[in-house]
Amino acid sequence: MTDALTPETPDEDEQPIKQRKNGLYPGVSDELAESMKGGWADTELRDLEPIEQAPNAARRRAALSARFPGERLVIPAGNLKTRSNDTEYDFRASTEYVYLTGDQTDDSVLVLEPTKDGHEATVHRLPRSNRENGEFWLDGMGELWVGRRHSLDEAEALLGVPCKDVRELAEALKEATGPVRVVRGHDAGIETALTDKVTAERDEELRVYLSEARAVKDAFEIGELQKAVDSTVRGFEDVVKVLDKAEATSERYIEGTFFLRARVEGNDVGYGSICAAGPHATTLHWVRNNGAVRSGDLLLLDAGVETTTLYTADVTRTLPVNGRYTDLQRKIYDAVYEAQEAGIAAVKPGAAYRDFHDAAQRVLTEKLVEWGLVEGPVERVLELGLQRRWTLHGTGHMLGLDVHDCAAARTEHYVNGTLEPGMVLTVEPGLYFQADDLTVPEEYRGIGVRIEDDIVVTDDGNRNLSAGLPRRSDEVEAWMAGLLGK
């Protein structure tokens, strides 16, 4: 990784350029500075068409405007975050900003200014790097270093929203009058500019509204989720084909294999991949992925591709590393499959959100009582929640731009709410027998099974977006054999 150059101190009327300590060049000669100003081709992009989600984003902004009439609304994309010294984590724009603009550019801010008829939306973002003062090649965040960005005119054409220079926004917001709300936690500079104009309670109302607005997906969103799932299916196939290499190395080989698919076909993984082999499968969010992969053990793979528009899949399969379940593994797996079948059947419009969880938990509880692991009757176990020692978690969650989407929604609109067509959720029951659990027979210990699919609520029931991956134990074995040429 190369070092940015160290310029001379710019004139007072020029945009200041961040200097790097210990740069190899003490300054820039007048002749070099003048040379760098000119001789560049015109690269402005013209006749650009709006991005596909632009009309959807416009409708969302209109609904937001109607909800908060007469108030200035500020939704930042967020800033780069330092990973180490002068290197940054890959940027991921805030979900609220992406939902309302379709844009993913760091440092950008959407502002809805109140008018007598509603709001006027403007996206404030960085323009092209300045070539007159050398910013584009001297600053560590200049375009020569990090790549070309869209001009304000280009961005306006793509997003269908007027665009202005974000560097002037903070001062303008300091002078703003009237009620203001901001989505917090993404841009400290913007929040500082508004510090005497906003309240935590009012800002939370804005965040909650935007979370609840995402509950019902439009056709574009469902299409993106299907793309994410389809890529995820291919990623699972990739993993099965290299299980022998994972045995020779570690769970990291599985993680890296799936990540390659995510980066080639999408933006990234939607969350840290859980590549949990053997007893690690009993740790719900095992993302260290540094353990051994052994023949005879199970691999719990919970992973999802995030599309270039930032919608993510979230799928889990529990696979026998050698391609065949043992009798006990199959018994536990089939119980989880039966629970998932009951949960999926409960997903339909008009049903209570909790119904699919309750249906799956009942099946798992019946199995635990039948196996003698907990004393019945079933109703008693459910009432006391005793099954949770081995089922541990809820049976699903909303899915969308966030893997746990709509998380800020009010309880009465989420877990105590009602399913509607267009909602997308996961159904993911599991059984987990910890390696040190002395209340179960020794042969159960260290076995963890989860099966997870992404389900969209339809007008007459549901559709499994991840049906491309087999779920039944015999189908899983046949699928793996086919991929391995056995």
Side-chain angles (χ1 to χ4, degrees):
M1 186 174 181
T2 53
D3 279 342
L5 304 176
T6 304
E8 295 175 338
T9 303
D11 294 337
E12 289 185 2
D13 60 346
E14 291 182 328
Q15 183 72 25
I17 295 172
K18 180 182 178 181
Q19 298 190 30
R20 185 188 296 270
K21 182 182 172 74
N22 292 323
L24 291 175
Y25 292 96
V28 177
S29 69
D30 292 343
E31 290 80 3
L32 176 57
E34 190 62 30
S35 171
M36 293 299 288
K37 289 181 182 180
W40 307 102
D42 178 10
T43 62
E44 183 75 7
L45 303 175
R46 298 173 176 84
D47 301 321
L48 292 173
E49 295 293 327
I51 59 176
E52 187 178 356
Q53 60 266 53
N56 305 68
R59 286 192 292 272
R60 297 164 191 163
R61 292 193 299 271
L64 175 62
S65 172
R67 172 62 179 81
F68 298 102
E71 303 186 50
R72 181 177 286 102
L73 308 174
V74 182
I75 301 93
N79 316 124
L80 293 171
K81 290 181 172 59
T82 300
R83 182 181 185 275
S84 171
N85 187 28
D86 56 356
T87 64
E88 291 80 26
Y89 288 103
D90 287 344
F91 179 72
R92 204 279 193 183
S94 75
T95 291
E96 295 87 356
Y97 178 81
V98 173
Y99 182 71
L100 293 168
T101 66
D103 184 39
Q104 301 178 33
T105 309
D106 57 283
D107 295 329
S108 298
V109 183
L110 170 67
V111 178
L112 272 64
E113 294 281 350
T115 67
K116 64 178 182 179
D117 299 320
H119 286 83
E120 179 179 329
T122 304
V123 169
H124 299 257
R125 51 183 285 155
L126 288 172
R128 297 288 307 280
S129 289
N130 190 322
R131 298 202 177 212
E132 285 299 308
N133 71 356
E135 172 199 351
F136 85 104
W137 72 290
L138 292 171
D139 190 282
M141 299 309 297
E143 290 184 358
L144 187 147
W145 291 93
V146 299
R148 184 189 190 278
R149 54 181 174 256
H150 287 300
S151 70
L152 296 181
D153 287 343
E154 291 170 356
E156 188 167 320
L158 290 167
L159 303 179
V161 184
C163 294
K164 295 182 180 179
D165 190 336
V166 72
R167 292 173 295 189
E168 302 167 3
L169 178 60
E171 287 303 313
L173 290 176
K174 289 179 183 178
E175 304 301 320
T177 59
V180 184
R181 297 179 193 256
V182 63
V183 176
R184 300 191 181 199
H186 301 299
D187 193 317
I190 294 299
E191 290 181 35
T192 298
L194 293 170
T195 187
D196 60 342
K197 306 176 192 300
V198 297
T199 68
E201 181 180 6
R202 288 162 52 78
D203 291 347
E204 181 64 10
E205 288 176 352
L206 173 60
R207 188 172 79 103
V208 168
Y209 168 80
L210 289 172
S211 192
E212 293 177 357
R214 300 199 308 275
V216 175
K217 272 60 180 176
D218 57 38
F220 172 81
E221 293 180 290
I222 293 172
E224 290 301 295
L225 286 167
Q226 185 66 70
K227 290 179 186 176
V229 168
D230 291 345
S231 290
T232 299
V233 168
R234 290 187 283 274
F236 274 67
E237 292 171 346
D238 296 338
V239 166
V240 170
K241 293 175 182 177
V242 300
L243 283 176
D244 59 334
K245 295 182 174 62
E247 286 189 66
T249 52
S250 75
E251 296 162 339
R252 293 260 168 107
Y253 204 97
I254 295 166
E255 179 183 356
T257 298
F258 187 85
F259 179 70
L260 177 60
R261 177 67 65 173
R263 286 294 283 165
V264 168
E265 295 192 359
N267 174 63
D268 205 327
V269 290
Y271 54 96
S273 298
I274 299 168
C275 308
H280 289 162
T282 66
T283 300
L284 298 183
H285 286 172
W286 177 262
V287 293
R288 299 178 198 173
N289 298 335
N290 59 2
V293 180
R294 298 185 178 92
S295 179
D297 282 349
L298 295 176
L299 166 68
L300 191 158
L301 178 59
D302 184 336
V305 172
E306 178 185 78
T307 65
T308 56
T309 58
L310 305 189
Y311 288 85
T312 185
D314 182 7
V315 177
T316 306
R317 291 294 183 269
T318 305
L319 311 173
V321 172
N322 63 9
R324 298 287 296 180
Y325 296 102
T326 67
D327 289 344
L328 180 59
Q329 289 169 352
R330 187 185 306 276
K331 181 176 84 167
I332 297 170
Y333 184 95
D334 288 349
V336 175
Y337 170 77
E338 187 178 329
Q340 194 200 28
E341 282 282 272
I344 292 174
V347 175
K348 53 190 174 185
Y353 176 86
R354 291 179 178 273
D355 285 354
F356 77 95
H357 169 70
D358 292 341
Q361 287 288 298
R362 175 169 290 277
V363 172
L364 294 177
T365 302
E366 291 170 349
K367 297 297 182 182
L368 292 167
V369 171
E370 176 187 327
W371 299 340
L373 302 184
V374 63
E375 183 180 350
V378 169
E379 294 299 337
R380 167 187 170 272
V381 176
L382 289 170
E383 181 181 354
L384 298 177
L386 301 180
Q387 83 285 357
R388 292 178 58 188
R389 181 181 178 99
W390 303 285
T391 66
L392 293 177
H393 55 79
T395 308
H397 52 80
M398 293 290 190
L399 185 68
L401 284 167
D402 289 339
V403 65
H404 293 154
D405 210 22
C406 311
R410 291 167 291 178
T411 299
E412 60 267 31
H413 285 259
Y414 194 155
V415 297
N416 289 341
T418 302
L419 296 180
E420 301 177 41
M423 290 182 170
V424 181
L425 59 145
T426 67
V427 179
E428 50 173 315
L431 282 174
Y432 311 92
F433 300 103
Q434 305 302 319
D436 59 351
D437 187 351
L438 302 182
T439 70
V440 300
E442 185 175 0
E443 61 268 24
Y444 283 76
R445 299 172 198 167
I447 295 178
V449 174
R450 181 163 65 250
I451 311 172
E452 178 180 20
D453 285 88
D454 302 341
I455 311 296
V456 58
V457 183
T458 61
D459 290 334
D460 57 357
N462 68 68
R463 178 164 59 90
N464 185 350
L465 299 177
S466 44
L469 276 179
R471 292 185 295 127
R472 244 178 37 207
S473 56
D474 58 336
E475 293 175 343
V476 169
E477 290 176 335
W479 169 70
M480 293 182 69
L483 291 170
L484 296 172
K486 294 183 180 179

